């Protein structure tokens, strides 16, 4: 059974930093891929960042240089800095195991960047 859960969202001022967590099942030692997405009502879902086994990663043009991914055990972190109001969104992680096709999604966590 694969379970994925995001946490760490909240309210932060422009220019501030926030760290999101994506925790997945302990049985998933080495996933095939894990992606971070974000979505605002009325907009398309935007790919923020993606990583493969935590060793390679890339980032969307709107966040490159400000967001980074790291991993500790069965948690993947999205480190966000120099936050802007336009970063406000619900952030989701999606995980693809090595053992099966398809993606498992978390419930999302709200990030609000505002003064």
């Amino acid at each position: 059974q694969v379970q994925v859960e995001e946490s760490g969202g909240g309210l932060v001022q422009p220019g501030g930093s926030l760290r999101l967590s994506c925790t997945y099942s302990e049985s998933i030692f080495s996933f095939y891929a894990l992606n971070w997405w974000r979505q605002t009502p009325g907009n398309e879902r935007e790919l923020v960042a993606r990583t493969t086994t935590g060793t390679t990663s890339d980032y969307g043009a709107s966040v490159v240089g400000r967001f980074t991914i790291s991993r500790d055990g069965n948690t993947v972190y999205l480190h966000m800095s120099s936050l802007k109001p336009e970063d406000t969104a619900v952030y989701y992680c999606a995980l693809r195991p090595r053992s099966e096709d398809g993606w498992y999604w978390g419930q999302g966590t709200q990030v609000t960047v505002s003064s």
Side-chain angles (χ1 to χ4, degrees), residues 56-73:
T56 61
S57 60
D58 52 34
Y59 305 90
S62 63
V63 306
V64 64
R66 300 188 297 117
F67 291 13
T68 58
I69 287 175
S70 67
R71 184 181 67 174
D72 181 12

Side-chain angles (χ1 to χ4, degrees), residues 81-103:
S81 63
S82 301
L83 285 164
K84 306 173 181 179
E86 50 263 46
D87 294 319
T88 296
V90 178
Y91 284 72
Y92 300 88
C93 67
L95 181 148
R96 185 188 187 280
R98 290 187 178 273
S99 60
E100 60 184 276
D101 294 334
W103 295 80

Side-chain angles (χ1 to χ4, degrees), residues 2-67:
V2 177
Q3 297 182 8
V4 179
E5 182 174 356
E6 307 96 334
S7 62
L11 176 65
V12 63
Q13 292 186 330
S17 299
L18 201 62
R19 186 182 73 174
L20 305 184
S21 301
C22 180
T23 300
Y24 50 91
S25 306
E26 294 181 358
S27 61
I28 306 299
F29 176 76
S30 181
F31 53 80
Y32 174 74
L34 187 148
N35 296 347
W36 285 96
W37 299 81
R38 67 186 183 186
Q39 187 166 27
T40 301
N43 296 328
E44 293 185 345
R45 187 170 56 195
E46 177 186 11
L47 181 62
V48 176
R50 57 188 178 188
T51 187
T52 303
T53 67
T55 59
T56 61
S57 60
D58 52 34
Y59 305 90
S62 63
V63 306
V64 64
R66 300 188 297 117
F67 291 13

